[in-house]
Amino acid sequence: MTDPTPPLAPRRPHRHVAHGHERTDDWFWLHDAEDPEVVAYLEAENRYAEQVLAPLSALRDELFDEIRTRVQETDAGPPTRSGGWWYYARTFEGLQYAVQCRLADPDGVLSAAEVAGATRSGRPEREEVVLDENELAGGSDFLAVGVYDISPDHSLLAYGIDLDGSEKYSLRFRDLSTGRDRPEVIDGVYYGSAWSADGSIFFYTRPDEAMRPWQVWAHRLGDPPGDDRLVFQEDDARFFVDVELSRTRARIVIHSASKTSSEVRWLDASAPAGEPVVLLPRRPGVEYDAEHDGDGWLIRTNAAEPGGGPRTNFALLRLTGGDGAGPTVAEIIGHRAEVKLESVDAFAGFTAVVERSAEDGLERIRILDRSGGDHVIDQPEAAYTLTGGHNPEWDQDAYRFGYTSMVTPRTSIDYRVPSRAREVVWAQIVHGYDPSQFRTERLWADAGDGARVPITLVCRRDQEPDGSAAGLLYGYGAYEISVDPTFSPNNMNLVRRGVVMAIAHVRGGGELGRRWYEQGRMENKANTFTDFIAAAEALVAAGWVGAGRLAARGGSAGGLLMGAVLNMRPDLWRVMVAEVPFVDVVTTMSDTSLPLTVTEWEEWGDPLNDPAAYQRMVGYSPYDNVAAGRPYPALYVTAGLNDPNVGFWEPAKWVTRLRWAGAGTAGRPLVLRTEMGAGHQGPSGRYDAWRDEARIQAFVLDQLTPAGGG
């Protein structure tokens, strides 16, 4: 049987000229999703991928079955109390999507743990279905719910659905007493929403043609959507807009933010027809967010101290006196060089602050009481990750948060502030998993410029760093996003087969504070790539992974990381997975008609108007630096035809150029799989997502095994 022949898109040279420099783009024509030849090419790549992957079908099915067996398919998630109700999500064996439910408890006689136990063991008699996402999906291959907002009196649900991955949502309103939708439908809605205090007006956001959320609108229930009122419009193309109702339910908060500055406006939720009031005017380089605390505002900000230095890792201030009109400012938590202030949640009786150590990257929760005292919630493991919890009520005495590590499945915890008691409300069920059979380790890589890059790994308990194991290194490194180590039932497929799974916490992320981010963006972007290479070399040098047995994986901005390190050190990787990779950096960042471009200039630089930024990007853009004759590893690349964040043409062009350069030969295949009916997140249904993950894992395992890949 002969090997399948990959498709090869023809060259059609297109000249890009900027700042006296010329680039030739032979596959610029692949940008047009309306071109039948482009669609035909993507479909040909999908057919080729299926042919290449066909011999792995038995392994793929085995891996899928393992994921499915490990997961509790019929289950109920952690319940959250709001008003006189408990809200939670159900899943059912064989169904792709969740069913959102609620349980009446007007007198508050049930605890969260009791509700979790009752809903997991069956369906309580008083349970109501709020929204069945499976019914919404109908015959569509894709479904995303981008807006889900219960009215203050719990009689209505505002929800927005997307059926193609474009992240443009159709907003509807459901009467929860009848389960029927009201007649009005509002199309072209984005994330973010808020109800007025009486539930008569609903606030939502709209994106512009470049998919930048720039407007806040108000819809009065019962009125035609054409009569909706424009509340606020953000004309600065660097800024994104969001809207939410404060936990006090007294303020509707509009947040405008670029990558380097922000501004908050507010309306009285009881007088929603008013005009938004600016809390603190925007200033270049000053970021802040605001939490209404009943009679004032808690402000998390990096604004410089009066007469002092910058608050790089943020400080916590309190504003009182007229909601910003002649405010009195008091500092609650000052700036700390080694601790980043991550987030603030205000409640009637306390404030919860999440902060992160710039030394070890671990988060901790600090509780501030109204009398001025504070304490930190102890955690049971030396290395862990805190995840968000839903805390909708202003007057609650427990703080909900999530907890996990690379060996500890997800748990939801209620921390009773008055008693300091910790109660596990809900714990993820993982069938056949014994945490004592696995271990997690933290090691550090020398980046070469004095920086030490943290690496977190998980492996079987019986494995020693003797240089014999295969490994997979994951990385991201952008937008100050921290890729914290969490438990993954899917990853257990690889770990139990002896693959060491590791995360490189590279610069550009936020794992070690704001400076860690600053050292991996703009003119410092190359540090992200060299950090990842240093982490890979450290894994091999320490014996955790054998030379020639290392995989790399990243998506979106992490796909840029994959493309850059592929060009810099193709010899390090046996196999690489690049999901919806941002690889055509210069062309994309020069096209202001595309989503995200202008606001992203503060992350990457402006190649249109800044010659230095242009030259810097040309130097690392993966697509522009592909060269022939390199020892390319096996490559698995994904794209989404409706992706508004990374255009499908970026991975398509990159794969084509790699083929022309000789990648995908010598038993190291190169495949591109494009989701023709989805966007940035890939398949939306859980079974489809598991099948997709099993397909990727089979490809990786085949290449990492001694007999695989040639």
Side-chain angles (χ1 to χ4, degrees):
M1 180 179 177
T2 60
D3 291 334
T5 302
L8 205 57
R11 292 176 181 263
R12 295 175 187 169
H14 177 90
R15 293 172 65 246
H16 297 287
V17 180
H19 308 295
H21 180 261
E22 180 176 322
R23 294 179 299 126
T24 299
D25 187 347
D26 289 329
W27 296 281
F28 185 79
W29 65 274
L30 287 174
H31 283 232
D32 187 2
E34 303 300 320
D35 184 344
E37 192 172 353
V38 172
V39 175
Y41 165 69
L42 297 175
E43 291 174 339
E45 284 282 7
N46 281 350
R47 289 193 297 271
Y48 172 70
E50 289 305 312
Q51 290 176 309
V52 170
L53 298 171
L56 305 177
S57 60
L59 177 57
R60 179 195 64 208
D61 292 345
E62 177 184 325
L63 293 165
F64 171 79
D65 289 341
E66 288 180 16
I67 294 173
R68 187 170 182 175
T69 300
R70 205 172 286 125
V71 171
Q72 178 72 19
E73 293 184 72
T74 297
D75 201 3
T80 298
R81 185 170 178 80
S82 182
W85 300 87
W86 290 98
Y87 289 87
Y88 48 92
R90 282 195 175 279
T91 55
F92 293 95
E93 182 175 352
L95 295 183
Q96 293 269 26
Y97 302 102
V99 178
Q100 304 295 335
C101 299
R102 68 179 182 178
L103 182 66
D105 181 24
D107 298 322
V109 298
L110 298 173
S111 70
E114 288 172 332
V115 175
T119 55
R120 288 185 123 171
S121 62
R123 304 198 68 176
E125 184 177 331
R126 301 191 311 277
E127 181 177 276
E128 296 180 11
V129 172
V130 177
L131 195 70
D132 186 338
E133 297 177 14
N134 300 282
E135 291 182 358
L136 296 179
S140 175
D141 291 332
F142 184 91
L143 170 75
V145 177
V147 176
Y148 183 88
D149 203 339
I150 301 287
S151 64
D153 67 357
H154 298 267
S155 67
L156 295 170
L157 167 70
Y159 70 96
I161 62 171
D162 165 23
L163 295 176
D164 63 9
S166 64
E167 299 185 41
K168 290 183 178 180
Y169 294 89
S170 292
L171 179 65
R172 292 170 170 83
F173 301 90
R174 178 159 295 185
D175 185 331
L176 296 182
S177 66
T178 65
R180 297 175 182 171
D181 289 344
R182 295 170 62 93
E184 58 259 54
V185 177
I186 306 172
D187 292 321
V189 170
Y190 202 65
Y191 308 102
S193 64
W195 288 94
S196 64
D198 64 1
S200 66
I201 294 177
F202 187 76
F203 293 81
Y204 61 92
T205 68
R206 283 192 183 277
D208 62 13
E209 291 182 356
M211 283 300 292
R212 177 181 70 93
W214 72 314
Q215 293 176 330
V216 175
W217 290 79
H219 172 73
R220 183 175 293 278
L221 268 71
D223 288 354
D227 292 344
D228 288 359
R229 178 173 69 97
L230 177 62
V231 176
F232 173 70
Q233 178 171 301
E234 176 57 74
D235 292 320
D236 190 327
R238 298 171 301 166
F239 284 71
F240 277 29
V241 171
D242 192 18
V243 63
E244 64 178 350
L245 181 65
S246 68
R247 186 177 287 107
T248 62
R249 300 186 182 177
R251 297 288 182 264
I252 293 160
V253 183
I254 299 172
H255 193 237
S256 294
S258 75
K259 292 293 187 293
T260 60
S261 62
S262 53
E263 185 175 59
V264 170
R265 288 171 169 80
W266 63 272
L267 296 92
D268 187 331
S270 297
E275 292 298 317
V277 177
V278 174
L279 185 60
L280 294 172
R282 69 185 67 177
R283 289 188 285 157
V286 174
E287 300 169 62
Y288 77 94
D289 46 56
E291 180 87 350
H292 191 241
D293 74 346
D295 55 0
W297 295 87
L298 293 177
I299 306 293
R300 189 188 72 100
T301 183
N302 68 346
E305 301 177 57
R311 296 177 170 114
T312 307
N313 276 332
F314 291 78
L316 181 62
L317 313 179
R318 187 165 189 271
L319 268 62
T320 55
D323 285 314
T328 299
V329 180
E331 186 173 81
I332 307 300
I333 299 177
H335 175 260
R336 295 160 293 175
E338 299 304 323
V339 179
K340 167 110 184 286
L341 182 59
E342 298 255 287
S343 64
V344 179
D345 286 308
F347 300 88
F350 65 94
T351 298
V353 172
V354 177
E355 51 193 34
R356 183 185 295 270
S357 167
E359 294 181 345
D360 59 19
L362 293 177
E363 286 185 322
R364 60 189 182 220
I365 300 169
R366 183 177 299 276
I367 300 295
L368 312 177
D369 61 41
R370 292 295 184 178
S371 64
D374 72 275
H375 67 275
V376 172
I377 301 176
D378 293 331
Q379 305 300 346
E381 293 177 288
Y384 58 85
T385 293
L386 302 178
T387 59
H390 197 202
N391 291 280
E393 294 290 270
W394 169 243
D395 193 10
Q396 60 182 59
D397 67 357
Y399 181 70
R400 171 75 58 83
F401 65 93
Y403 180 93
T404 183
S405 73
M406 292 193 88
V407 296
T408 303
R410 293 181 297 119
T411 58
S412 289
I413 295 165
D414 275 359
Y415 181 76
R416 298 287 170 187
V417 173
S419 64
R420 302 192 183 185
R422 176 191 185 105
E423 179 185 20
V424 175
V425 171
W426 179 93
Q428 181 182 17
I429 297 171
V430 185
H431 296 292
Y433 173 68
D434 179 359
S436 69
Q437 300 302 306
F438 303 91
R439 62 173 170 164
T440 182
E441 301 282 345
R442 170 65 68 90
L443 60 150
W444 298 80
D446 182 0
D449 63 352
R452 298 178 71 236
V453 182
I455 307 163
T456 310
L457 64 84
V458 62
C459 65
R460 289 197 322 239
R461 174 73 62 182
D462 61 359
Q463 284 183 254
E464 296 297 332
D466 58 8
S468 65
L472 188 151
L473 183 63
Y474 179 86
Y476 188 75
Y479 306 114
E480 204 174 1
I481 292 173
S482 298
V483 182
D484 294 316
T486 60
F487 180 80
S488 168
N490 296 351
N491 284 346
M492 284 298 115
N493 278 359
L494 301 180
V495 176
R496 77 174 191 83
R497 286 174 169 81
V499 177
V500 174
M501 301 290 294
I503 302 169
H505 306 286
V506 296
R507 282 176 282 185
E511 288 90 340
L512 298 184
R514 172 52 64 92
R515 288 190 179 92
W516 197 246
Y517 167 56
E518 295 289 354
Q519 291 172 13
R521 63 181 284 268
M522 301 291 279
E523 65 273 9
N524 300 316
K525 190 61 206 170
N527 286 334
T528 303
F529 314 140
T530 53
D531 283 1
F532 194 78
I533 291 170
E537 292 174 333
L539 283 172
V540 174
W544 286 108
V545 178
R549 300 199 68 198
L550 183 60
R553 185 171 183 177
S556 195
L560 162 63
L561 171 61
M562 295 299 101
V565 301
L566 179 69
N567 288 332
M568 296 168 72
R569 287 294 307 275
D571 57 298
L572 270 177
W573 328 105
R574 181 70 182 185
V575 55
M576 179 176 285
V577 179
E579 296 168 278
V580 291
F582 171 44
V583 285
D584 192 13
V585 180
V586 184
T587 304
T588 292
M589 286 291 98
S590 299
D591 187 348
T592 58
S593 70
L594 294 176
L596 307 180
T597 292
V598 175
T599 189
E600 296 284 283
W601 284 346
E602 292 182 338
E603 175 75 21
W604 313 102
D606 175 5
L608 272 180
N609 303 299
D610 183 351
Y614 174 83
Q615 290 296 334
R616 183 172 67 246
M617 291 181 183
V618 166
Y620 69 72
S621 174
Y623 178 67
D624 293 291
N625 287 279
V626 170
R630 290 173 173 164
Y632 287 109
L635 284 156
Y636 191 111
V637 184
T638 71
L641 185 64
N642 301 323
D643 191 339
N645 298 320
V646 176
F648 70 88
W649 56 85
E650 294 201 40
K653 290 167 61 176
W654 184 51
V655 164
T656 301
R657 178 165 275 181
L658 284 166
R659 288 204 200 287
W660 281 89
T665 60
R668 302 214 176 165
L670 167 57
V671 298
L672 169 66
R673 289 195 78 256
T674 301
E675 292 290 340
M676 304 301 285
H680 197 61
Q681 304 302 326
S684 59
R686 60 174 179 161
Y687 291 100
D688 291 342
W690 294 345
R691 289 188 184 93
D692 192 57
E693 178 63 20
R695 188 183 294 111
I696 292 173
Q697 290 183 359
F699 184 85
V700 169
L701 284 171
D702 181 62
Q703 293 298 317
L704 290 179
T705 53

